[in-house]
Amino acid sequence: MPDDIRLDAWRTLLTAHAAVIEVLAAEMEEQAGIPLGWYEVLLYLHESGDGRLRMHELADSLLLSRSAATRFVDRMQSKGLVEREADPDDGRGTLVSMTPAGREVFARAAPLHLAGIRRLFTDHLTADEARVMLEALRRVIGGAGGGSGRDRR
């Protein structure tokens, strides 16, 4: 049946994602001393241009509720990696930015993470396979209504 291969693709995508994330998370903890989710926060802040994001933008990017993102940022702030400040453009909003310690941790963690992605994912694909996968996954995202903040990478 034609759907069998598509369902196999779905299951394999989930299995591959879980396997790769498990290894990347363990490596991040072991080599950089932070959870993989914290690295993701630092990455979004690094990519933001000015090094800061509104709390709701960060929550959307992380696929978390605002209250969950707040708790996440609380833990990172307690370790000195991020700080909060009032949004000068919106008195009700909060901006999150990296501290110098956060930038140092990110600078140390980024090459480790990219090396892991290469070793566990990209080294196993040809350029043509990657293009096909990218095109297919973009169609899936579009079919799901455009996805979340994550689809902007």
Side-chain angles (χ1 to χ4, degrees):
M1 291 189 192
D3 278 346
D4 288 348
I5 190 73
R6 292 178 189 145
L7 290 176
D8 284 348
W10 168 249
R11 287 184 198 107
T12 304
L13 172 68
L14 295 178
T15 302
H17 178 267
V20 169
I21 291 299
E22 182 179 347
V23 174
L24 291 175
E27 290 177 353
M28 187 62 63
E29 284 277 354
E30 182 181 310
Q31 297 174 16
I34 60 170
L36 185 57
W38 289 18
Y39 172 79
E40 189 174 3
V41 168
L42 296 174
L43 175 63
Y44 282 121
L45 292 172
H46 174 78
E47 289 180 340
S48 71
D50 64 355
R52 43 188 208 167
L53 287 170
R54 290 180 178 84
M55 181 65 81
H56 73 86
E57 293 171 325
L58 186 56
D60 290 348
S61 295
L62 296 169
L63 302 179
L64 296 173
S65 68
R66 288 186 189 171
S67 61
T70 297
R71 290 189 300 275
F72 210 78
V73 169
D74 285 345
R75 291 190 297 276
M76 292 182 72
Q77 188 172 15
S78 74
K79 298 296 185 186
L81 301 177
V82 298
E83 59 190 4
R84 289 184 174 96
E85 60 186 89
D87 185 343
D89 299 328
D90 177 2
R92 299 168 296 157
T94 301
L95 294 171
V96 179
S97 60
M98 262 195 283
T99 62
R103 284 189 289 280
E104 182 180 311
V105 167
F106 178 77
R108 188 174 68 247
L112 301 170
H113 188 61
L114 291 173
I117 291 170
R118 274 189 218 92
R119 186 181 77 256
L120 298 167
F121 185 76
T122 62
D123 285 353
H124 301 281
L125 300 172
T126 66
D128 287 339
E129 290 168 333
R131 276 189 280 283
V132 168
M133 180 182 282
L134 182 59
E135 181 182 317
L137 291 174
R138 284 181 174 159
R139 281 195 316 270
V140 170
I141 291 168
S148 67
R150 289 182 183 248
D151 62 347
R152 57 192 165 100
R153 284 196 212 168

